[in-house]
Amino acid sequence: MSGSTFVPSRPVTCAASRAARELGLRRGEFALAVHLGCIRTVPDEGGGGGRRVERAELDRLRAQDGFPETLRARVRVVGTAEGAALMDIPAGRFTRLARLGLLVPVRFYLNRYRAVVWLYLAEELRQFAVGAENAHLLKGRTPENLRGQLAAGVDLRARNWRGRHLGFLLREAEDPWARAGTVAAFLAPVEVADIVKDPYERAHLNRFRPAAPDHAAPGSPTAHLAEQLMTAHDSDEADWLRSELAHAVQEARGHSPAPRPAARHTAPARRPAAHHAHPVTPTVARHAVAAAQPASPPPPRGHETEPGATRPTRGLRAWLHRRKPRPAGV
């Protein structure tokens, strides 16, 4: 049709909560599936700031063989006891392998005693157990070099989780400032302030700073512990994140500067209006002279006016009487 503009239709999408229900996943399972790349999401073009799932993506997942069991198996997580049973090793050996960084947690939660409970992908544990290169770690005596690290107190579970979670979040960040804010979320505020000196840039980073994955009330002890787990403490890890943040902020500056408050423009002071001289009439002059005369002081207390005496005339009239010349011969 001539004169008309073709506007392509947007793909039909649904919210993450509805997509999880249609796929038969819990909220945590759905979020993990998105992080692992099992479910593709798109930005919310309606301005909500979240992520949405296209209807075509839901159709693709439902058409896979073994749905929904195969999808659930890919996001199944287990704790230490269940993971050790899955690998057919003692729970103590499982914990040592995790502390050494050989088993990387994918999630965590804080129990009612505020103790950290690490969760691992069941599929990854199964693959580790069947790998021939890992057989010496599952049976027999732990190698000497690894026993030395354990004796020194090494525990890489939190650090490895941070690295993995950072990768998850960076894959979803589509804006340079969002990527910089994601990196900043894993550093202490003093570290961020040392790299990003501009307070307006730091405020802009905070807009994209992802929250800790534990859904506790802000300011609660549980939320504080979750923030501690999300913050890098080792010097080498913090140095690497500082370098990544500096690079990310430099890239973000080149893409778009951080917003700043508009300068306030004060209105120029108004010049006083010119006073035009008006002709002074005799009546105005008389009132002006009368107003300029000082008021007569009251008579002293106890002073009586003599009978028949007239009160002195005040103001301009009295002054005129004094100035009036007497007739000759009087």
Side-chain angles (χ1 to χ4, degrees), residues 227-262:
E227 291 176 0
Q228 289 294 317
L229 287 174
M230 198 165 177
T231 303
H233 299 287
D234 297 336
S235 59
D236 57 338
E237 181 187 5
D239 289 343
W240 178 80
L241 288 170
R242 285 165 58 94
S243 176
E244 289 295 312
L245 177 60
H247 177 73
V249 170
Q250 184 177 3
E251 181 181 355
R253 290 184 186 126
H255 179 265
S256 61
R260 298 175 182 275

Side-chain angles (χ1 to χ4, degrees), residues 15 120 132 163 276:
Y120 306 82
H276 300 283

Side-chain angles (χ1 to χ4, degrees), residues 15-41 53 57-58 60-62 64 66-77 107:
S17 57
R18 179 170 181 177
R21 289 194 301 270
E22 294 193 17
L23 295 174
L25 299 176
R26 301 185 183 92
R27 182 179 61 177
E29 291 174 335
F30 178 84
L32 183 57
V34 172
H35 285 164
L36 295 173
C38 302
I39 303 175
R40 294 190 293 263
T41 61
V53 182
E57 176 68 2
L58 297 179
R60 181 187 71 85
L61 293 169
R62 282 196 292 258
Q64 293 179 350
F67 175 86
E69 285 75 14
T70 53
L71 180 59
R72 288 176 179 169
R74 296 177 67 180
V75 296
R76 181 190 171 200
V77 294
R107 284 177 54 192

Side-chain angles (χ1 to χ4, degrees), residues 149-210:
Q149 295 180 38
L150 291 171
V154 65
D155 190 349
L156 300 177
R157 288 175 293 183
R159 176 170 178 167
N160 284 344
W161 171 81
R162 284 192 293 269
R164 188 169 203 170
H165 194 59
L166 175 61
F168 289 160
L169 297 177
L170 286 177
R171 281 196 293 272
E172 295 181 0
E174 300 180 351
D175 180 86
W177 281 107
R179 289 192 288 271
T182 298
V183 177
F186 292 83
L187 284 169
V190 64
E191 301 277 0
V192 177
D194 189 42
I195 297 297
V196 186
K197 308 290 187 182
D198 192 329
Y200 296 111
E201 290 183 341
R202 291 199 303 272
H204 196 48
L205 282 178
N206 287 333
R207 293 181 52 196
F208 302 97
R209 184 186 182 98

Side-chain angles (χ1 to χ4, degrees), residues 73-208:
R74 296 177 67 180
V75 296
R76 181 190 171 200
V77 294
V78 294
T80 298
E82 192 175 358
L86 184 65
M87 299 176 67
D88 195 20
I89 59 175
R93 183 180 290 266
F94 183 97
T95 300
R96 290 192 293 271
L97 293 176
R99 288 179 56 190
L100 290 167
L102 300 175
L103 304 176
V104 181
V106 70
R107 284 177 54 192
F108 75 88
Y109 71 90
L110 303 176
N111 62 17
R112 59 179 178 175
Y113 304 106
R114 296 177 188 168
V116 181
V117 179
W118 296 105
L119 300 175
Y120 306 82
L121 281 174
E123 183 62 27
E124 288 185 355
L125 299 182
R126 190 178 293 108
Q127 293 177 3
F128 187 93
V130 300
E133 67 279 8
N134 301 323
H136 69 289
L137 299 172
L138 304 177
K139 304 293 181 180
R141 188 176 178 84
T142 304
E144 182 66 28
N145 61 326
L146 299 181
R147 283 189 283 119
Q149 295 180 38
L150 291 171
V154 65
D155 190 349
L156 300 177
R157 288 175 293 183
R159 176 170 178 167
N160 284 344
W161 171 81
R162 284 192 293 269
R164 188 169 203 170
H165 194 59
L166 175 61
F168 289 160
L169 297 177
L170 286 177
R171 281 196 293 272
E172 295 181 0
E174 300 180 351
D175 180 86
W177 281 107
R179 289 192 288 271
T182 298
V183 177
F186 292 83
L187 284 169
V190 64
E191 301 277 0
V192 177
D194 189 42
I195 297 297
V196 186
K197 308 290 187 182
D198 192 329
Y200 296 111
E201 290 183 341
R202 291 199 303 272
H204 196 48
L205 282 178
N206 287 333
R207 293 181 52 196
F208 302 97

